[in-house]
């Protein structure tokens, strides 16, 4: 099973890739000589401990962080040769900490997602309104579309940001921790939405998640980051092994099949809760 | 953040739904017409009083030679100057307030105005000496010196506030520091200056339209006409830039270029206004806030802010020449109106809007 899937992955065209990049901030280098590529039409999830560089890699993919060395390519073209606007039509990114504007309704916030499709000569069109309405409906925000975004609950606001990204209608979507602030039901809801968008529009999704079990259930592929490198990369069952979890998270865990989906379910262990003896 | 329901309840908040934004258009046109009307009143008002009808007729080519001299030769540059100074300051304020996402971030507060003032006062005082040199400096060198002062201050404040992005709270604090320092230097220069130059500088420093002539109106007109379209072209990107640098860039805006254009426009407009009239206080703060409330938008509408600015300055000037005693300089009138408004706004601002 794994070999055929692995084969299918290598033949799918590459949507997004970093080649041999060095990603650094003024104070620290996070990655050196890192190469990761993302296949078109797949849902890829970056996992790893806090500070392992998930957001950093996602920002490099989204051109928010320029690599010190190496290159990033978007659908086969070097990212740095593309105009910002062109990138925005191809790729939508939800950063970890967006700024919510004052006195702006949910609908207005979501409407900003249409910016890359508009210009002075082509202001606001029926297609824009349609995309915004669809995004509001998909995130179940239609009923509160006219509320002030600053007055939403954390989870509602998070969904509004997701709606903005959906309204952008880019073929590649990057989401940094889209499920933070959401209750479990809404997390599942959101991840199902991600899968639906992926299935219907063939959207390539790269996201960061912390819940490994949900990540395994809703992703085609997991990339585990740690210590400045890719610790493991592949199908959920190949990646989520007790060894990987120990080296990437320092976590002792049992990995069993999720009774509902058959995907890996991670059960953390500690001294008081050791692995049951068989 | 603490009282979200109060926000929703304010009647002037914008009605839901995207364009058409008729209200913004309505307010913009209304403010333009009001400013022009006040301008006509300003043309008519003064020691040799005319009716508004006389003023308009004279403007259109009628009227006696005497009326022509008074209206076109004396009052028109002053009224036009008032309208343009207000336009420039209103627009500059709208740009910086939106840019920094903070109503306190006006050119006055972030140091640009005091930089322009220092440049201009340096030109007045240091270039003193013979009358010819001084006159030459005043017509040519002073606007340039004000522009250089404004530009340098903006660069320094921006550089100091930069931490991989612009934090509006930082830019305001550093701007306040810059303003205090620069005002100190300006006072020192005035104190050290010859008596006539000191008097010149002091009169200029309160913001006065009495020295307005065609030679000071012309450069201002050119700057306003050139910069306004550039600023308006940034309007759509400004709207998106309210979402923070990462989202803005993700939505296809070249953030650095956008920021440079917006700040550059604001600095040029402020420098042009200040070099023509001296610093007319509070207009850059007041006009955008009034326009935003009239138009019920989430941020100051650019053109409407410009026209409210024109209305405020022209109105203050007309009032000081007619109903108010003692020909008060326009900068004092605007300060008297603007300062209480600033205090009122500070008491009403939600915590989030002041500190983030
Ligand atoms: N703006 C910054 N300036 C300096 N260092 C940074 C910056 N952002 C992140 N870092 C550092 O880079 C490393 C990777 O950070 P990153 O945000 O990519 O981690 P992450 O995997 O997304 O973590 P989390 O799960 O907490 O979101 C961390 O050590 C962090 O301290
Ligand atoms: Mg992160």
């Amino acid at each position: 099973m794994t070999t055929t899937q692995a084969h299918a992955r290598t033949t799918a065209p590459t949507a997004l890739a970093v080649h041999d990049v060095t990603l650094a901030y003024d104070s620290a280098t996070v990655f050196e000589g890192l190469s990761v590529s993302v296949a078109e039409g797949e849902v890829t999830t970056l996992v790893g401990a806090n500070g392992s560089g998930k957001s950093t890699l996602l920002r490099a993919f989204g051109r928010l962080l320029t690599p010190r060395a190496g290159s990033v390519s978007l659908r086969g073209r070097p990212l740095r040769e593309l105009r910002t606007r062109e990138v925005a039509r191809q790729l939508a990114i939800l950063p970890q900490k967006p700024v919510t504007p004052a006195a702006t309704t949910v609908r207005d916030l979501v409407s900003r997602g249409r910016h890359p499709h508009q210009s002075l000569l082509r202001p606001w069109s029926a297609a824009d309104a349609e995309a915004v309405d669809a995004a509001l409906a998909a995130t179940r925000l239609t009923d509160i579309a006219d509320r002030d975004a600053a007055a939403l609950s954390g989870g509602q606001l998070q969904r509004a940001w997701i709606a903005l990204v959906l309204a952008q209608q880019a073929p590649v979507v990057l989401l940094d921790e889209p499920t933070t602030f959401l209750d479990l039901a809404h997390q599942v809801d959101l991840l199902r939405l991600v899968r639906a968008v992926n299935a219907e529009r063939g959207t390539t999704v790269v996201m960061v998640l912390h819940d490994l079990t949900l990540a395994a259930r809703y992703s085609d592929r997991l990339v585990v980051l740690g210590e400045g490198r890719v610790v493991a990369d592949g199908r959920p069952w190949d990646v989520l092994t007790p060894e990987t979890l120990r080296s990437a998270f320092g976590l002792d865990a049992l990995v069993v099949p999720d009774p509902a989906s058959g995907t890996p379910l991670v059960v953390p262990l500690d001294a008081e809760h050791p692995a049951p003896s068989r | 953040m603490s009282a979200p329901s109060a926000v929703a309840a304010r009647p002037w908040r914008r009605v839901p739904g995207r364009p058409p934004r008729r209200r913004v258009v309505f307010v913009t046109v209304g403010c333009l017409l009001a400013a022009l009307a006040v301008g006509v009143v300003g043309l008519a008002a003064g020691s040799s009083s005319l009716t508004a009808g006389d003023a308009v007729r004279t403007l259109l080519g009628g009227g006696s030679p005497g009326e022509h001299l008074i209206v076109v030769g004396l009052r028109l540059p002053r009224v036009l100057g008032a309208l343009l100074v207000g336009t420039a300051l209103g627009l500059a304020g709208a740009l910086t307030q939106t840019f920094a996402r903070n109503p306190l971030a006006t050119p006055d507060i972030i140091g640009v105005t005091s930089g322009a003032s220092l440049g201009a006062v340096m030109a007045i005082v240091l270039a003193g000496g013979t009358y010819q040199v001084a006159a030459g400096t005043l017509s040519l060198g002073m606007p340039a010196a004000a522009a250089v002062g404004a530009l340098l201050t903006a660069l320094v404040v921006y550089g100091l506030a930069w931490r991989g992005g612009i934090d509006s709270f930082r830019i305001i604090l550093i701007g306040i520091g810059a303003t205090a320092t620069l005002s100190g230097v300006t006072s020192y220069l005035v104190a050290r200056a010859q008596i006539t130059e000191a008097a010149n500088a002091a009169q200029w420093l309160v913001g006065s339209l009495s020295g307005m002539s065609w030679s000071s109106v012309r450069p201002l007109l050119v700057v306003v006409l050139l910069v306004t379209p550039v600023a308006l072209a940034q309007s759509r990107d400004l709207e998106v830039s309210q979402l923070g640098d990462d989202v803005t860039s993700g939505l296809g805006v070249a953030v650095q270029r956008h920021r440079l254009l917006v700040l550059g426009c604001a600095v040029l407009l402020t420098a042009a206004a200040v070099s023509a009239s001296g610093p007319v206080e509070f207009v850059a703060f007041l006009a955008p806030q009034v326009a935003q409330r009239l138009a019920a938008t989430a941020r100051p509408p650019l053109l409407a802010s410009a026209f409210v600015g024109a209305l405020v300055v022209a109105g203050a000037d007309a009032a000081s020449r007619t109903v108010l005693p003692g020909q008060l300089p326009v900068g004092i009138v605007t300060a008297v109106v603007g300062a209480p408004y600033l205090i009122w706004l500070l008491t009403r601002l939600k915590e989030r809007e002041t500190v983030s």
Side-chain angles (χ1 to χ4, degrees):
Chain A
M1 176 187 99
T2 32
T3 46
T4 53
Q5 279 187 350
H7 179 70
R9 172 156 40 92
T10 45
T11 51
T14 302
L16 204 53
V18 293
H19 311 280
D20 206 14
V21 289
T22 298
L23 302 177
Y25 299 99
D26 291 339
S27 44
T29 302
V30 185
F31 294 110
E32 242 176 310
L34 179 79
S35 296
V36 176
S37 62
V38 173
E40 193 133 356
E42 280 197 341
V43 175
T44 303
T45 299
L46 310 178
V47 296
N50 288 134
S52 58
K54 305 177 296 292
S55 298
T56 304
L57 177 57
L58 206 72
R59 290 168 56 81
F61 276 142
R63 204 161 85 162
L64 299 181
L65 180 70
T66 312
R68 294 271 164 90
S71 64
V72 188
S73 63
L74 172 62
R75 306 177 115 194
R77 294 161 73 193
L79 202 54
R80 76 164 73 95
E81 284 173 18
L82 297 174
R83 290 174 49 230
T84 318
R85 218 175 141 72
E86 179 65 28
V87 174
R89 293 208 192 107
Q90 308 259 339
L91 180 148
I93 179 163
L94 175 62
Q96 198 167 352
K97 293 177 229 154
V99 178
T100 305
T104 302
T105 63
V106 174
R107 182 185 299 277
D108 269 355
L109 180 65
V110 175
S111 302
R112 309 278 154 88
R114 300 305 295 167
H115 187 266
H117 302 279
Q118 299 167 342
S119 67
L120 276 179
L121 299 177
R122 192 195 161 286
W124 181 258
S125 70
D128 294 325
E130 220 167 88
V132 169
D133 284 341
L136 287 169
T139 47
R140 299 172 199 236
L141 289 170
T142 310
D143 290 344
I144 53 169
D146 296 327
R147 294 249 307 262
D148 188 335
L152 296 183
S153 80
Q156 291 168 331
L157 184 58
Q158 184 74 7
R159 271 150 57 210
W161 282 107
I162 305 277
L164 183 151
V165 166
L166 290 182
Q168 203 172 334
Q169 293 185 331
V172 179
V173 168
L174 312 179
L175 304 170
D176 199 343
E177 300 195 21
T179 55
T180 29
F181 304 117
L182 300 188
D183 62 53
L184 189 55
H186 276 113
Q187 290 187 31
V188 171
D189 219 37
L190 179 95
L191 292 170
R192 286 177 45 116
L193 172 63
V194 167
R195 289 257 45 144
V197 170
N198 165 263
E200 283 161 26
R201 298 192 206 150
T203 306
T204 307
V205 179
V206 184
M207 58 185 169
V208 175
L209 292 179
H210 279 296
D211 187 317
L212 297 172
T213 301
L214 287 180
R217 187 191 277 191
Y218 293 102
S219 313
D220 295 310
R221 179 177 160 214
L222 299 181
V223 176
V224 186
L225 301 174
E227 292 161 359
R229 62 189 180 89
V230 174
V231 178
D233 174 359
R235 304 287 144 187
W237 269 115
D238 300 336
V239 165
L240 289 186
T241 60
E243 297 74 49
T244 312
L245 293 173
R246 196 166 307 122
S247 71
F249 296 93
L251 174 78
D252 284 324
L254 207 61
V255 183
V256 296
D258 179 335
S261 61
T263 51
L265 174 72
V266 176
V267 183
L269 303 173
D270 62 25
E272 280 169 49
H273 307 93
S277 47
R278 307 230 162 166
Chain B
M1 210 58 174
S2 55
S5 54
V7 175
R10 280 181 221 168
W12 40 262
R13 290 290 173 196
R14 89 136 61 90
V15 282
R18 288 285 299 193
R21 300 212 169 131
R22 285 198 207 88
R23 181 156 175 175
V24 178
V25 176
F26 183 76
V27 167
T28 307
V29 173
C31 291
L32 173 63
L33 293 180
L36 291 177
V38 168
V40 170
V41 171
L43 285 179
S47 43
S48 46
S49 61
L50 305 165
T51 65
D54 293 336
V56 172
R57 188 159 38 78
T58 314
L59 262 192
L60 297 178
S64 68
E67 285 173 347
H68 192 267
L69 176 71
I70 292 172
V71 171
V72 178
L74 296 177
R75 289 185 191 162
L76 187 57
R78 180 165 182 159
V79 167
L80 211 53
L83 290 171
L84 287 169
V85 164
T87 301
L89 291 177
L91 184 52
L95 289 172
T96 52
Q97 286 178 353
T98 314
F99 169 86
R101 288 178 231 128
N102 193 318
L104 298 182
T106 63
D108 303 342
I109 290 180
I110 65 174
V112 178
T113 309
S114 50
S117 300
L118 178 58
V121 168
M122 268 180 158
I124 296 176
V125 172
L126 298 184
T130 69
Y131 176 76
Q132 277 79 1
V133 175
T137 333
L138 287 181
S139 62
L140 275 177
M142 206 175 89
V148 170
L151 221 62
L152 282 181
T153 314
L155 282 178
V156 169
V157 170
Y158 191 76
L160 289 175
W162 178 264
R163 283 288 175 278
I166 277 296
D167 167 34
S168 74
F169 194 50
R170 266 186 82 82
I171 212 171
I172 289 169
L173 283 185
I174 291 171
I176 289 173
T179 301
T181 313
L182 294 169
S183 309
V185 177
T186 305
S187 308
Y188 173 76
L189 281 182
V190 173
R192 289 283 312 266
Q194 304 288 324
I195 192 83
T196 49
E197 286 130 19
N200 263 345
Q203 188 198 17
W204 183 85
L205 276 174
V206 295
S208 153
L209 292 163
S210 58
M212 200 60 85
S213 66
W214 281 112
S215 66
S216 45
V217 168
R218 241 176 256 121
L220 178 59
L221 180 65
V222 170
V223 171
V224 167
L225 288 181
L226 289 181
V227 171
T228 305
V230 179
L232 292 181
Q234 292 301 306
S235 179
R236 275 172 16 88
D237 287 357
L238 266 179
E239 179 157 302
V240 169
S241 76
Q242 303 301 294
L243 308 179
D245 286 355
D246 284 353
V247 177
T248 306
S249 158
L251 287 173
V253 177
V255 175
Q256 302 292 357
R257 183 171 157 273
H258 164 72
R259 232 197 316 248
L260 219 63
L261 275 171
V262 170
L263 209 61
C265 286
V267 169
L268 281 177
L269 289 168
T270 307
V274 171
S275 62
S277 65
V280 181
E281 298 286 345
F282 288 107
V283 177
F285 159 73
L286 189 76
Q289 291 300 308
V290 170
Q292 177 176 344
R293 276 156 184 73
L294 287 176
T297 47
R299 61 184 178 88
L302 297 182
L303 261 190
S305 303
F307 296 148
V308 171
L311 176 62
V312 168
V313 177
D317 184 49
S320 82
R321 285 192 288 128
T322 50
V323 288
L324 297 177
Q327 295 255 345
L328 280 175
V330 67
I332 301 218
V333 181
T334 58
V336 165
V337 180
Y341 187 72
L342 173 63
I343 293 168
W344 178 81
L345 188 84
L346 281 174
T347 62
R348 297 270 321 235
L349 273 186
K350 287 172 287 167
E351 192 190 345
R352 207 175 123 259
E353 286 174 323
T354 27
V355 297
S356 72

